[in-house]
Amino acid sequence: MILYSQDNGKLARGLAKCIVDASYLINSALLKTHKGPGVTLTAKNWYGATDIALMWRKNAHNGFSADKKNGTPSYKTFVDFMGHKNLGGKTLLYLIDGTYGSRDVNGKPHPKWVKAPFNNDWCCSLLASQDGVAIDAVGMDMLINEWPDFGSFNYCDEYLLEAAGIPTTNSGVQYDPERDGKPLDKPLGLFEHCDDMRNYIKLDLQYILAK
């Protein structure tokens, strides 16, 4: 079970048996926006490991979205997912499939990516990392850079700030996803923003040349 660090209302607590029984996990998400939380990347991907109802309208989404108006730091469910012993705690590799990338969480990918370095083509990117915070930060920057007018991006990075700030979080929350009295005591990963996607391309090129 995942008991959450704070009272999370009706949010699902059961975890899939295959997740609990696994020795290690690979978390593979799609690169896309999401109304409410802003992005749906590897951290939100863990929601699918809980005992959610097949009818999505019956599922609660407590603690997912940030304060879009003022950015007031608060408890974030995603951090509990990332820090839980049977979820983020077992993960050896994080992947984000940006082969297409999408501005809409529903339906087939659309539209093509207009800005450099994609230049009116599909995103054609595959991200891989052992750091769940860092990979979501990169995916988030890519989406924000391409669609800055998307209405849910305000403060969508709050869960990453919380995860990277443990044990001294901006919200003051002590994250203890198992409720065993042993709160997480070190950051769950590294977080930074990159405003220009061409910088990511330069880093990749430097790595290839170095090899």
Side-chain angles (χ1 to χ4, degrees):
M1 292 182 68
I2 180 168
L3 299 178
Y4 304 106
S5 301
Q6 293 191 355
D7 180 16
N8 228 338
K10 296 180 179 179
L11 198 66
R13 296 187 176 190
L15 295 178
K17 187 177 186 297
C18 59
I19 294 286
V20 175
D21 290 346
S23 297
Y24 65 90
L25 301 170
I26 295 174
N27 183 332
S28 180
L30 296 175
L31 184 64
K32 55 186 176 181
T33 65
H34 195 297
K35 292 181 180 178
V39 295
T40 175
L41 300 170
T42 66
K44 189 178 185 298
N45 219 26
W46 292 124
Y47 186 46
T50 66
D51 57 344
I52 56 177
L54 292 178
M55 296 294 292
W56 66 270
R57 294 182 184 277
K58 296 181 179 180
N59 297 306
H61 288 72
N62 296 19
F64 280 22
S65 298
D67 174 4
K68 301 297 183 181
K69 185 176 182 180
N70 301 307
T72 304
S74 60
Y75 163 74
K76 286 289 162 285
T77 299
F78 292 167
V79 182
D80 273 340
F81 289 158
M82 298 166 81
H84 192 277
K85 64 181 181 181
N86 284 317
L87 300 176
K90 285 185 177 178
T91 304
L92 296 185
L93 182 65
Y94 294 89
L95 299 171
I96 295 180
D97 182 353
T99 306
Y100 297 98
S102 184
R103 194 183 185 281
D104 195 329
V105 69
N106 298 311
K108 63 182 181 180
H110 73 281
K112 290 186 176 181
W113 292 50
V114 174
K115 297 180 180 178
F118 309 109
N119 302 320
N120 298 302
D121 204 346
W122 294 113
C123 186
C124 298
S125 301
L126 180 64
L127 309 181
S129 179
Q130 291 184 301
D131 185 329
V133 175
I135 194 170
D136 273 20
V138 173
M140 183 180 295
D141 282 345
M142 292 173 70
L143 293 166
I144 292 173
N145 179 77
E146 182 64 22
W147 296 298
D149 59 336
F150 184 71
S152 295
F153 282 147
N154 287 350
Y155 305 104
C156 67
D157 60 1
E158 186 181 323
Y159 75 94
L160 296 176
L161 290 167
E162 289 281 286
I166 292 171
T168 308
T169 61
N170 290 337
S171 67
V173 173
Q174 282 194 316
Y175 286 89
D176 182 4
E178 288 95 35
R179 289 278 187 107
D180 60 2
K182 299 177 181 179
L184 302 175
D185 60 2
K186 56 185 177 181
L188 298 180
L190 299 174
F191 172 65
E192 64 179 359
H193 274 302
C194 180
D195 296 328
D196 190 339
M197 292 303 98
R198 289 171 293 187
N199 290 335
Y200 285 130
I201 303 302
K202 290 177 183 176
L203 289 172
D204 289 343
L205 181 59
Q206 289 172 3
Y207 175 73
I208 293 170
L209 292 176
K211 292 186 67 177

